[in-house]
Amino acid sequence: GQQVMQIPQYQHVQEGEDFTTYCNSSTTLSNIQWYKQRPGGHPVFLIQLVKSGEVKKQKRLTFQFGEAKKNSSLHITATQTTDVGTYFCAVRAGKSTFGDGTTLTVKP
Amino acid sequence: DSGVTQTPKHLITATGQRVTLRCSPRSGDLSVYWYQQSLDQGLQFLIQYYNGEERAKGNILERFSAQQFPDLHSELNLSSLELGDSALYFCASSRGPETDTQYFGPGTRLTVL
């Protein structure tokens, strides 16, 4: 099945700094989804990307799907303490495959 | 609230025992997924059912089994439990079988002593 590698595993930032997490695959992906899991919570769907080069924005969050559809990124501008949590990318193609996640901590 | 319910919320049991976790999907969703999340680990996909039929299988141990009933609720059975089975078990549901958004339940925390 398709595998996705997510980096970094952890990211500590000062409030107001930017944050980016990357999701990479060795194979072409049909789609990619992003989820956020708050500490003690369950994963919550953020967005799905399906087109090559697609860019979507949700307020301070920017999601990109690479031109070759082998990588994706999530960028948060000017982080806030409410952004803390683990961000997962996921691939849906037969099996459901989640990356290992990037855990973001934000220092006020 | 995602609309997906899971029971029980917590479960403490001993090695060698058998437990059943229950999941009710969102109204109208036909797919149910089961995931295992160990401490500080990612989400390991176990199995997916769509409209009562097994749709996809992940790294589910032979000691584990699942089913989806005609009313679309699902149960995950874990038997001959080992210490390493202690984890958070999430159920998720989606409308269709493939690329739809997954809505996760609050999870069942299983502790094996």
Side-chain angles (χ1 to χ4, degrees):
Chain A
Q2 295 186 311
Q3 302 282 337
V4 285
M5 295 277 298
Q6 209 174 334
I7 55 171
Q9 190 175 0
Y10 298 98
Q11 186 80 58
H12 311 284
V13 300
Q14 194 78 33
E15 190 172 21
E17 291 181 339
D18 292 356
F19 158 78
T20 305
T21 173
Y22 301 90
C23 191
N24 301 306
S25 171
S26 58
T27 59
T28 303
L29 304 171
S30 54
N31 64 83
I32 196 150
Q33 296 177 340
W34 287 92
Y35 291 79
K36 176 184 178 182
Q37 183 177 19
R38 287 203 157 101
H42 59 270
V44 174
F45 173 80
L46 294 176
I47 210 155
Q48 174 166 282
L49 306 170
V50 296
K51 297 178 187 173
S52 167
E54 190 169 13
V55 178
K56 286 188 176 179
K57 294 193 175 187
Q58 289 179 352
K59 297 183 181 177
R60 293 177 296 103
L61 278 60
T62 302
F63 304 83
Q64 292 191 345
F65 203 5
E67 293 290 342
K69 298 182 74 173
K70 288 186 176 182
N71 56 73
S72 180
S73 65
L74 158 58
H75 179 83
I76 303 178
T77 303
T79 54
Q80 300 175 358
T81 54
T82 53
D83 295 325
V84 298
T86 301
Y87 293 84
F88 293 98
C89 60
V91 179
R92 301 290 315 281
K95 296 180 185 181
S96 177
T97 303
F98 277 70
D100 286 338
T102 296
T103 299
L104 171 66
T105 55
V106 179
K107 191 173 180 181
Chain B
D1 182 9
S2 65
V4 178
T5 59
Q6 286 187 249
T7 56
K9 210 167 180 175
H10 301 278
L11 199 47
I12 301 174
T13 188
T15 53
Q17 295 298 305
R18 172 189 168 96
V19 297
T20 298
L21 312 184
R22 183 189 166 102
C23 169
S24 291
R26 286 189 329 152
S27 176
D29 284 359
L30 299 179
S31 271
V32 170
Y33 311 76
W34 286 99
Y35 293 88
Q36 181 191 57
Q37 186 174 45
S38 302
L39 197 62
D40 291 334
Q41 295 287 313
L43 290 154
Q44 300 300 316
F45 170 68
L46 296 178
I47 199 163
Q48 176 197 0
Y49 281 84
Y50 175 71
N51 206 19
E53 301 288 327
E54 183 181 304
R55 175 80 182 184
K57 211 166 185 174
N59 299 325
I60 187 167
L61 300 172
E62 282 192 19
R63 300 184 285 108
F64 296 0
S65 65
Q67 55 182 327
Q68 186 180 29
F69 294 86
D71 67 351
L72 300 177
H73 92 271
S74 178
E75 291 180 358
L76 178 66
N77 299 295
L78 315 175
S79 62
S80 302
L81 285 167
E82 301 175 0
L83 296 178
D85 297 327
S86 295
L88 199 49
Y89 290 84
F90 285 109
C91 165
S93 74
S94 70
R95 195 75 58 181
E98 278 286 328
T99 57
D100 301 71
T101 301
Q102 293 182 62
Y103 295 88
F104 282 78
T108 292
R109 182 166 295 282
L110 172 67
T111 303
V112 183
L113 301 175

